[in-house]
Amino acid sequence: MVVSEGMPLRLLHEGRWVVSRAWVRQLTGASAGTLARWYAERHTRPEGCRHPEVVHTVGRTHYFDQQAVEAFWAAWQEDVGTGRLGTAGRKPGDGRGGYGGADRARREQAVAVALAALRAEGGYRRGLAARLAREHGGVARSWQRALNEARALYEAGDAGAGS
């Protein structure tokens, strides 16, 4: 019998197998946050795709009917698929540090400022991100990301101008 934090992952209760959240995590590969969300939002899902209710508790460990969990997981895979288990509330980004809209507009402005600084300096210099943070506000790490984007534009522009 496998145990988690001193509690078994699976045990026999009233003639049926019950499983802990740790067991469900192993079965599904979902994070603890995703499991908590599935359970919290179970009443918003259709009857066949709903996370099962707690049937037994030992200490602070909740146990669910194993057959119900397996049925839930099969229905979830059919409904949603295994490619995306469901994130714990993250929005999809554009891959460049923003979610679009105002965030991306601020990033574009920061990249433009960084590009102007690169042109004025004749290229990248160590400490440039910290200087931009002091002059324009914000943190050096955010300016470093803006500089990384600006450097790619700067270097592409220089390569294109020389050809």
Side-chain angles (χ1 to χ4, degrees):
M1 177 183 316
V2 179
V3 292
S4 172
E5 296 180 22
M7 301 303 296
L9 297 180
R10 184 173 176 252
L11 54 91
L12 197 57
H13 174 71
E14 296 179 356
R16 63 181 174 174
W17 285 103
V18 293
V19 294
S20 68
R21 283 190 188 201
W23 187 92
V24 178
R25 283 186 69 186
Q26 288 179 352
L27 172 72
T28 64
S31 71
T34 297
L35 287 177
R37 183 174 44 81
W38 284 346
Y39 186 74
E41 297 175 356
R42 66 190 174 281
H43 297 294
T44 64
R45 302 283 300 160
E47 189 73 35
C49 290
R50 186 177 290 178
H51 191 287
E53 297 284 343
V54 174
V55 295
H56 183 60
T57 303
V58 177
R60 293 178 46 160
T61 304
H62 296 297
Y63 288 88
F64 309 90
D65 181 83
Q66 182 176 342
Q67 287 182 334
V69 168
E70 289 171 343
F72 157 75
W73 180 235
W76 182 271
Q77 287 177 303
E78 190 172 307
D79 182 41
V80 178
T82 57
R84 183 173 181 271
L85 291 174
T87 58
R90 291 188 202 121
K91 298 177 190 173
D94 63 3
R96 298 185 297 170
Y99 300 118
D103 288 343
R104 188 61 204 166
R106 279 195 301 265
R107 174 56 68 89
E108 293 293 344
Q109 184 179 8
V111 170
V113 169
L115 186 56
L118 286 171
R119 288 183 178 138
E121 292 284 327
Y124 180 77
R125 300 283 182 265
R126 186 175 179 177
L128 187 55
R131 191 184 88 205
L132 290 172
R134 283 191 305 274
E135 292 174 3
H136 299 281
V139 295
R141 181 67 190 121
S142 293
W143 281 104
Q144 187 61 54
R145 286 191 292 269
L147 271 170
N148 289 343
E149 280 189 49
R151 283 175 75 178
L153 295 172
Y154 180 79
E155 291 168 4
D158 283 357
S163 321

